[in-house]
Amino acid sequence: MSVIWGIPYLLIKIAVEGVSVPVLVFARIAIGAAVLLPLALSRQTLVMIRTHWAGLLGFAFFEIIAAWYLLTDAERHLTSSMTGLLIAASPIVAAVLDRCTGGEHLGPKRIAGLAIGISGVAALAGPHIGGTPLAITEVLLVATCYAIAPLIAARRLADVPTLPMTAVCLTFAAAVYAAPAVKTWPTSLPSTRVLVALLALGVLCTAVAFLVFFALIREVGPARALVITYINPVVALFAGVLVLDEPLTVGTLVSLTLILIGSVLATRRAAPPSAAPAEAERP
């Protein structure tokens, strides 16, 4: 799962060289929807849409429509590895948003994690602020979108099955991007390299990714499944370095370490108080 969701940054960087941002986003979404929607069609799905349409629209906007456009547009100016590292700030943003909207209290360790993580983001983005401020802002907005979407899912869609929810959101997002994609459709067939990247984004990094992620959640639970969040940026970093010869510096590694440490500390959950000694001994 960490590999599947660590390589989209590399694939986006390759694909955006040959097609416009709307075409790339539409292709990824449409392929994913075409695979997942037939698996999710049922009367229950129609009922879900009717009863949870507001939450579904909100989730689709932040998780897919806004996030994937901003991410793709930013990678026209940033390396795939740096993009993946900046996205790693998402758990830090999520911790702040959760607290600001009535969520868990931030204790000393979590506050320290926020400070460490933010310092890592600053160390990573600082040298590039003069040249690509808009692109860096777009990626940080993506991290914010990725932090908001789970809050919507947890608070508005907690009783909605994940597979039909994802299929419906992808279908809606594909409809949104259809017209912009047609308007900017390439006049000639993109290179094989670009087409393979688009196909991999749609099939592997969207459709298969969600199916595998649902299986992972069933196997180990949602809390342990989120461990992939801390491994994705490492995959993104080394994929960019090995495939696209992107630079790997000591500063990048230090920034990665700070962001990951900050994310782990900022998202730590306090152990619930136990009612009996036996409960406290549970792992």
Side-chain angles (χ1 to χ4, degrees), residues 66-87:
W68 290 3
Y69 180 90
L70 292 168
L71 178 63
T72 304
D73 190 59
E75 285 210 47
R76 295 189 300 116
H77 308 286
L78 296 176
T79 63
S80 65
S81 53
M82 181 176 179
T83 303
L85 294 183
L86 288 172
I87 293 293

Side-chain angles (χ1 to χ4, degrees), residues 80-166:
S80 65
S81 53
M82 181 176 179
T83 303
L85 294 183
L86 288 172
I87 293 293
S90 184
I92 299 170
V93 179
V96 174
L97 291 177
D98 181 57
R99 182 67 189 98
C100 292
T101 55
E104 291 185 53
H105 175 70
L106 295 177
K109 288 185 178 180
R110 298 187 69 185
I111 293 175
L114 292 175
I116 293 172
I118 291 172
S119 68
V121 172
L124 179 65
H128 304 271
I129 289 294
T132 54
L134 177 60
I136 291 173
T137 301
E138 286 180 318
V139 178
L140 293 178
L141 285 174
V142 174
T144 303
C145 288
Y146 283 164
I148 293 173
L151 291 178
I152 295 175
R155 299 178 183 183
R156 301 293 297 274
L157 303 170
D159 59 336
V160 175
T162 49
L163 177 56
M165 178 185 77
T166 304

